[in-house]
Each structure stands twice: as C-alpha cells, then as structure tokens.
Amino acid sequence: MNSPYVIEVRNVVKSFKTVQAVRGIDLNIGPGQFVAILGPNGAGKTTLVEMIEGIQQPDHGEIRVMGKPWKGNETYLRQHIGLSLQETHFVEKLTTWETLRLFASFFSIGKDRCEEVLQMVALEEKRKAWVVNLSGGQRQRLALGISMINMPKILLLDEPTTGLDPNARREIWAILRKLKDQSQTSMILTTHYMEEAEQLCEYIVIVDHGKILKQGTINDLLGEIQDIPVKPAEIRKITLDDLFISLTGRHLND
Amino acid sequence: MIERISNNQLYRLIMANVMELIREPGVLFWGIVFPILMSLGLGIAFTKKTDVITTIAVTGQNHLIGKPSDTLSVLLSFLRTNKAILIKNEQGLVSRKLTVTDDKLGNTHFIFTAMDWKAAMVLLKRGNLNIILDEKDGKIRYHFDPRNPDAQLTYLKLSKLLTNTGPVVKEANLEISPLTVTGTRYIDFLIPGLIAMGFMMSSMWGVSYAIIERRSKKLLRRMVATPMKRSNFLIALISVRVLMNFIEAGLLFLFAWLAFNITIQGNVAALLLLFIAGNIAFAGIAILISSHTAKTEIGNGLINAISMPMMVLSGIFFSYHNFPEWSIPVIRQLPLTMMADGIRSIMIEGAGFTETVYPVTILTLTGLIFFMLGMKIFRWH
Ligand SMILES: Nc1ncnc2c1ncn2[C@@H]1O[C@H](COP(=O)(O)OP(=O)(O)O)[C@@H](O)[C@H]1O
Ligand SMILES: [Mg+2]
C-alpha cells in the first residue's frame, strides 16, 4: 500500500451550478517535488488545490494525501500540510507576531518556531505592526510564514504572488528557494506567471478549462516547441508562453 | 506551565479577540460612552421640570390689538388684567405672553397669537402649536386633536385658566406631591432597558458580525484548514463578548448610581443569573444569524431586521403597554422584553430568584435552541 507519491489525484471532477470547474484531472506528486499549476484565471486551479487541501470535496474521483484519503484522516492530515489561500485577510488589528502566535497555537507550537518563521519571511522589523499596516508583499510573506509554521510535509500555495510588484515577488521566490534547499517539503503552487513556474518548480502542469493540457519538466515542455514554426533567430526566446499560445491560441494572462 | 498556557489555542484565540476588541475605538464608544450619554440625555429630559412654552392661535379679527368684540374681548381683558406681555415675533405677528408660575410642575408660558385660520393650520401641521381658539355663539371654542396628549393638556390648563375671570391667583399647589422616590422615575425604567439593549446589540455585532466578516474575508476557511478546534473558536468569540457585556453593564450601572442614585432593590445574584441567561439567548440568536451568509451587507440587514423590531416593541424607552392588547402576550415572549422586564423587576421591584426562574429558563432555552439550529447549518468554508 505504500505509495511513492505524497499527492495522488485520480480522475477528479467538480462542478458548480453552471460551471464545470474541474473536469477529470489526474496528478501525482512525489516527495520533495516543487510543482507549478499554471493556467489563466478561471482555469480551475483554486478548485483543484482546495480539493487537495480537503477544503472542497470532489464530485467524482479520488484524492489521497500522504497515502490517505481526507475522510477519516482530517486531524492527521491537517497537522502535516501547510497552505495559503488565494486571498485571506487576517485580523487587521492584530500584530504580525500575534497572528503568527495564534496560528502556531493551533498546532501547539511555541514561540521559538514563530521567531524562526518571522526570520524566514523577513518580517522581524514588522513584528509589532498591525496587519492592516503591512504592504501587500508583507502580508503575502505573513501568509507564507503561517503556511510554514508547522514545518509541513506538503505546502500548497494558491497564487502567492498575484498582484505583487516584481520586487515583492522576487522576495517570495527567494524564501521558497531557500525552503527547497533546506527541507524535504513538497510544494504545489498555482500561478498564471510563466516566470514563476520556470523559476521555482521543476515540474509544471498546464491547466485550462478544468483540464490538464500538458505536464512535465520544463525541458519536456519546451521540447514540444520543436513543432511550432519559428524563425531560428527567435528560438532562444521561446518560453512557456509560446507553448501556451500554441496549445490554446491565446495568451496566459488574458 | 505558563509556557503551556500561552501556547494554548483557546488562550490565544481569547487573547486575539480581546486585542481586537480593545483596539477598536468604536467598541469603547458604542459599548460604554453611548449608553451613558443616552441615559444622561433621556434621564435629564424626563426628570427635570422645565418651563413649558405653549403657543395658542387666536383666529378671527385682530382682536388682541384691534377693536375688541364679543367673547374674544373677554380674553383680551383677561390677558390685560393679568399683565400679559406684548411681544412681536420675527414674522411681525403680535402676541401676548401670559406666564403661570408653578413651583412643583414648572412654569407654563401661554403665548396667544392672533392669526387667520389658514396660518394657524400651517403652524399646526408643522407642530408649532396644538390648539386654536375662536369664538362661536358668544363662547370660546377650542380646536385640537383629542388624540394628542399634549393638546389635551394645553386644553385642560387653558380652560381652567380662562374660566377664572379675575386675576390669576398664585397659590401653593398643596395637593400635588411629585414622586421623586428612587424606582418610580423615568430613569429607573430606562437604565434596565439600556442594559438589556446593550447585551443584545453587543452580541449581534460582536458575535454575528465578527463571524460573517471572518467568513467573508476567508479567515474562517483559513482557520479551519488547521487543526484548530471549531468549538474553541466559538467559545473564545462568545466568552470575550460576554465578559465585555458584563463590563459595559457594570459601568452603566456605576454611572447611574453616581448620577441618579439608582440602586438594586432585589437579589444581586438573581440579577447576575439573569444576565448570564440573557447572554446565552443573544449569543444563540447571533450564531443562527451568522451561520450561513458570507456577505457583510446581508449580515447587516439580518442584524437590523432582528434587533430593530425588538428595540421598538420590547419597551426599552417606553412601556409596551401602549401597543394593542392582543400583541402584549407576544411582546412579552421576546428575549429583549424578557430581559428588560426581568432586570426591572429585580432592580426596581426588588424581585429575587423565584420571580427570575421563568425568564432565566426561557432565555437559556431560547439561546440553546437557536445555537443548535445555527450549528446545524453553520458554514465554516
Ligand atoms: N464557489 C463557486 N461557485 C460557483 N462557481 C465557482 C466557484 N468557485 C469557482 N467557480 C468557477 O469555477 C471556475 C474555476 O474557478 P477557479 O478554480 O477559482 O479558477 P482559478 O483559480 O484557476 O482562477 C471559474 O469559472 C469559477 O467562476
Ligand atoms: Mg484561483
């Protein structure tokens, strides 16, 4: 029964009243792997990730996390995963430190780990600042810090850099790269930024309209581009963006 | 040990709620300053005897300054005899002011103004006057709305005054003895109502709105995606609110004691029990209101839809006995009525545990039933 994967998604389907958000997705993620789920707005990324997080239930299909289904293992799984939602507003009038301490207490974790996390996300100077007074980037770093507070075996981040300026985005990338170097954590990250997927993740899953269009390592995916007619001079500039256009006929950020 | 407590999730949740509460200036104002100002304003408005100014329209010819004739001439000579002062207002209307002094009920200034019927009607509609005089068959005739208590009072005072033909004699009002005994004043009625209303509003906004807002900001969803115990979340939110309610009620009572010399006539322990039961009732209602919606506007509407009718019906500011007979048994069952009546019976009438058993039981049951209904449909995501 021992599965080599930390996340297994089998033929998962999820519909809302009028939309089929996820229409049959299969996905396996191994330990320590960093995976990007890349797709435009409305592709079904959030729905997929929240089903893996046990926040939403699939209509059909099966999801196993660390070899266990959510049903009956919630307490165990919640202890070992870390996540950040696409948009969370923490309590405005709590400080950074108080917010960290609050979430740490849910895992019975004390202040030493909070100090560590505060350092990892470079918010020591903002320890006493109210959440409402943090910049967008600082709030995202706080959300990231909270997602890592329990040293999760699996980290799931839903659009952690959307809406941030390039500098703030790079700060988040730096934190995640460090995490990859220093721990065995597996990560799923959703994004609609090519660069983010290329920079952080060795495995990329391109989704649109609730389906996986292509998945593989960056080289696998760019290898496909041989089939796209391009002028030789442009060959170096070919990126995932071109791949996406060739797959769907439109730009990723449309 | 201290380390263990300070890492405890219930402790952290409680502290988070306390911090959020005390950092919100609105809480201080609406919870503490506002009820005190309200009791001060209403308490003084209804306790202090003030001079009453009543305007009376006199229609017909300019009888007051012109040629006196018929019955209205009697009025004029009466005003002259009593040395009514001639005054002119901004519109150029001439009036005569007659002051009747009274050391017990406060002075009354009657201002008689001559004007035509049309002008009188305009002022009547605006509420600037409530009685119009003219003359019929040689007698003074009074026009007023018999359902307006103020107009009735003016009529009674005036008719008494005008049947007195000679000069108005000032005499000590021996037969009037004002009731200023603690427990019979308006403020004694008001303070328990304000305390009950404070409990309700504070639970509605502090529990309902807080939950709906956290849901709308996806914070609730984020929190239940951790091993946090859901019960701890609710316990922390409600207990901090209840604690705050007790502090608010205590401060309001302290103020009422210092400013108006209000005391608790009945059993203090029974009063505390009633406070707890009331908090259970309102917390239960608050949970049901906030159980489903993620839209703060809807939450706003729901809170108002529940609390506004109760504020009007439950006799917070004025007795509900003016409502139709059939509605009174229903009104009595409203949690806010039960709370306000219960507090009044203990504070004013000196009630004890026996009288408190019924409201305490009903309030507690109401709270528990609403709480369970709320939990059945509660949306954490
Ligand atoms: N709770 C919901 N109710 C109705 N429709 C939803 C809900 N959540 C998502 N959808 C719809 O499902 C589709 C996929 O949404 P989502 O998973 O949020 O995409 P993404 O995260 O890639 O932008 C969209 O069309 C969206 O409008
Ligand atoms: Mg999304």
Side-chain angles (χ1 to χ4, degrees):
Chain A
M1 273 296 287
N2 252 346
S3 154
Y5 300 112
V6 291
I7 291 175
E8 297 156 276
V9 176
R10 297 264 161 282
N11 191 27
V12 160
V13 174
K14 173 86 179 174
S15 298
F16 298 104
K17 272 171 216 126
T18 51
V19 244
Q20 271 192 296
V22 171
R23 2 179 157 192
I25 283 190
D26 289 278
L27 190 64
N28 292 320
I29 293 167
Q33 231 181 358
F34 270 36
V35 175
I37 296 182
L38 182 67
N41 273 333
K45 303 185 295 295
T46 298
T47 309
L48 174 62
V49 168
E50 290 195 350
M51 286 189 289
I52 298 172
E53 288 163 347
I55 294 176
Q56 299 193 42
Q57 276 71 50
D59 298 339
H60 293 290
E62 197 191 353
I63 291 176
R64 283 172 176 268
V65 180
M66 303 196 306
K68 297 175 196 295
W70 272 99
K71 202 168 187 279
N73 296 297
E74 187 148 349
T75 324
Y76 173 81
L77 291 176
R78 292 256 168 262
Q79 287 287 348
H80 295 290
I81 69 166
L83 59 95
S84 77
L85 302 175
Q86 189 168 343
E87 289 169 84
T88 306
H89 301 268
F90 296 105
V91 178
E92 290 185 350
K93 285 177 178 159
L94 288 187
T95 65
T96 305
W97 178 249
E98 287 161 350
T99 307
L100 269 177
R101 286 285 266 154
L102 177 65
F103 276 87
S105 77
F106 300 156
F107 299 92
S108 309
I109 286 170
K111 56 171 176 287
D112 296 346
R113 175 63 185 164
C114 292
E115 291 286 0
E116 239 173 75
V117 167
L118 203 62
Q119 240 175 40
M120 283 166 75
V121 296
L123 283 174
E124 299 108 308
E125 282 179 11
K126 292 288 164 187
R127 171 197 296 268
K128 288 189 176 137
W130 289 2
V131 167
V132 68
N133 295 327
L134 298 180
S135 71
Q138 289 163 345
R139 278 183 215 189
Q140 273 304 346
R141 297 213 301 275
L142 175 60
L144 188 58
I146 289 172
S147 72
M148 303 189 303
I149 198 116
N150 56 330
M151 301 197 225
K153 295 198 168 69
I154 302 168
L155 192 59
L156 300 118
L157 308 175
D158 197 2
E159 305 206 14
T161 67
T162 298
L164 299 187
D165 62 59
N167 265 331
R169 185 171 301 152
R170 269 191 284 276
E171 281 165 356
I172 300 238
W173 293 352
I175 297 165
L176 290 175
R177 258 193 230 110
K178 213 164 172 183
L179 181 77
K180 186 166 176 60
D181 294 344
Q182 295 176 353
S183 73
Q184 268 80 57
T185 301
S186 314
M187 183 184 76
I188 292 186
L189 164 151
T190 72
T191 183
H192 53 242
Y193 299 114
M194 285 316 149
E195 203 189 346
E196 187 158 288
E198 294 184 54
Q199 290 273 331
L200 291 174
C201 303
E202 65 264 7
Y203 198 81
I204 295 170
V205 180
I206 300 178
V207 294
D208 195 19
H209 298 306
K211 283 196 152 149
I212 295 179
L213 298 182
K214 275 275 175 309
Q215 57 179 314
T217 62
I218 183 101
N219 288 333
D220 293 344
L221 293 176
L222 291 179
E224 302 258 344
I225 290 197
Q226 309 306 334
D227 309 336
I228 306 170
V230 281
K231 292 177 203 135
E234 285 177 345
I235 203 108
R236 282 166 168 277
K237 287 192 199 153
I238 289 173
T239 62
L240 282 170
D241 207 8
D242 301 295
L243 177 62
F244 190 80
I245 295 167
S246 81
L247 288 170
T248 66
R250 59 203 168 89
H251 276 281
L252 194 52
N253 289 335
D254 280 353
Chain B
M1 182 64 190
I2 288 170
E3 175 75 13
R4 266 207 17 228
I5 291 173
S6 94
N7 293 344
N8 177 275
Q9 59 169 272
L10 184 56
Y11 171 79
R12 283 280 145 208
L13 280 164
I14 288 175
M15 285 318 287
N17 284 315
V18 169
M19 288 304 172
E20 200 189 353
L21 198 70
I22 60 178
R23 285 169 186 167
E24 181 60 67
V27 168
L28 199 70
F29 179 77
W30 290 110
I32 296 168
V33 181
F34 182 71
I36 287 178
L37 286 180
M38 195 123 99
S39 70
L40 198 61
L42 291 172
I44 282 173
F46 286 89
T47 341
K48 200 178 155 227
K49 59 171 193 188
T50 46
D51 284 15
V52 180
I53 299 170
T54 310
T55 306
I56 294 133
V58 182
T59 64
Q61 259 81 62
N62 237 352
H63 296 290
L64 291 173
I65 52 164
K67 298 153 262 169
S69 70
D70 305 348
T71 317
L72 291 176
S73 65
V74 180
L75 177 59
L76 183 60
S77 71
F78 172 81
L79 292 175
R80 283 207 183 111
T81 322
N82 286 290
K83 302 199 170 53
I85 310 158
L86 211 58
I87 49 171
K88 226 178 184 172
N89 73 358
E90 311 97 71
Q91 286 97 44
L93 287 173
V94 182
S95 313
R96 278 173 193 270
K97 181 167 121 181
L98 180 68
T99 301
V100 178
T101 55
D102 190 311
D103 55 344
K104 298 253 174 67
L105 299 177
N107 304 334
T108 311
H109 307 278
F110 294 103
I111 297 178
F112 295 88
T113 308
M115 61 183 81
D116 60 27
W117 183 259
K118 242 180 161 171
M121 286 318 283
V122 171
L123 290 181
L124 184 76
K125 284 174 188 162
R126 287 183 190 159
N128 292 355
L129 55 83
N130 54 36
I131 203 156
I132 303 171
L133 303 188
D134 68 359
E135 181 253 309
K136 198 188 176 214
D137 303 335
K139 275 189 190 152
I140 290 177
R141 190 164 54 162
Y142 301 84
H143 302 264
F144 64 92
D145 174 6
R147 270 165 307 181
N148 178 345
D150 268 352
Q152 268 196 27
L153 189 62
T154 311
Y155 163 70
L156 288 175
K157 282 186 186 173
L158 203 58
S159 61
K160 191 181 171 207
L161 188 73
L162 294 182
T163 46
N164 187 346
T165 41
V168 180
V169 223
K170 261 191 275 174
E171 48 190 321
N173 250 323
L174 290 177
E175 67 278 30
I176 295 177
S177 167
L179 282 170
T180 50
V181 190
T182 305
T184 59
R185 300 162 303 171
Y186 177 63
I187 190 77
D188 301 308
F189 176 84
L190 181 65
I191 293 291
L194 285 180
I195 291 177
M197 187 180 79
F199 283 162
M200 179 179 76
M201 292 316 256
S202 165
S203 296
M204 293 294 170
W205 293 104
V207 177
S208 278
Y209 197 79
I211 289 176
I212 295 168
E213 199 193 21
R214 280 160 169 69
R215 192 183 286 120
S216 81
K217 289 179 163 183
K218 295 202 185 169
L219 185 54
L220 207 52
R221 174 181 267 249
R222 179 65 189 88
M223 285 173 129
V224 296
T226 69
M228 180 190 77
K229 274 213 185 102
R230 295 169 182 197
S231 54
N232 280 343
F233 174 84
L234 293 176
I235 291 169
L237 196 63
I238 292 172
S239 61
V240 169
R241 212 11 94 163
V242 170
L243 183 74
M244 189 66 196
N245 286 350
F246 272 83
I247 293 172
E248 287 172 5
L251 286 175
L252 181 59
F253 180 77
L254 183 72
F255 170 80
W257 176 60
L258 293 174
F260 300 105
N261 202 21
I262 280 180
T263 52
I264 300 170
Q265 314 272 321
N267 190 321
V268 178
L271 187 63
L272 291 178
L273 191 67
L274 183 65
F275 280 7
I276 292 170
N279 275 291
I280 293 175
F282 293 126
I285 295 171
I287 292 291
L288 182 61
I289 288 181
S290 63
S291 58
H292 217 67
T293 181
K295 293 209 173 74
T296 48
E297 305 82 41
I298 293 182
N300 231 317
L302 282 174
I303 292 172
N304 284 327
I306 301 289
S307 61
M308 286 300 164
M310 279 209 268
M311 265 170 62
V312 174
L313 294 173
S314 293
I316 298 306
F317 299 102
F318 300 100
S319 167
Y320 52 77
H321 286 101
N322 294 323
F323 289 110
E325 197 73 43
W326 58 263
S327 65
I328 291 183
V330 184
I331 290 175
R332 281 224 174 97
Q333 302 308 311
L334 295 174
L336 187 59
T337 318
M338 213 167 263
M339 187 80 193
D341 283 357
I343 301 176
R344 277 185 195 126
S345 75
I346 296 172
M347 280 180 61
I348 309 175
E349 295 159 24
F353 280 110
T354 352
E355 295 90 337
T356 321
V357 171
Y358 179 72
V360 164
T361 314
I362 297 292
L363 286 170
T364 309
L365 283 178
T366 308
L368 292 179
I369 290 169
F370 277 73
F371 184 82
M372 286 190 299
L373 284 178
M375 285 331 285
K376 269 220 153 73
I377 57 170
F378 203 89
R379 253 180 56 204
W380 289 96
H381 294 302

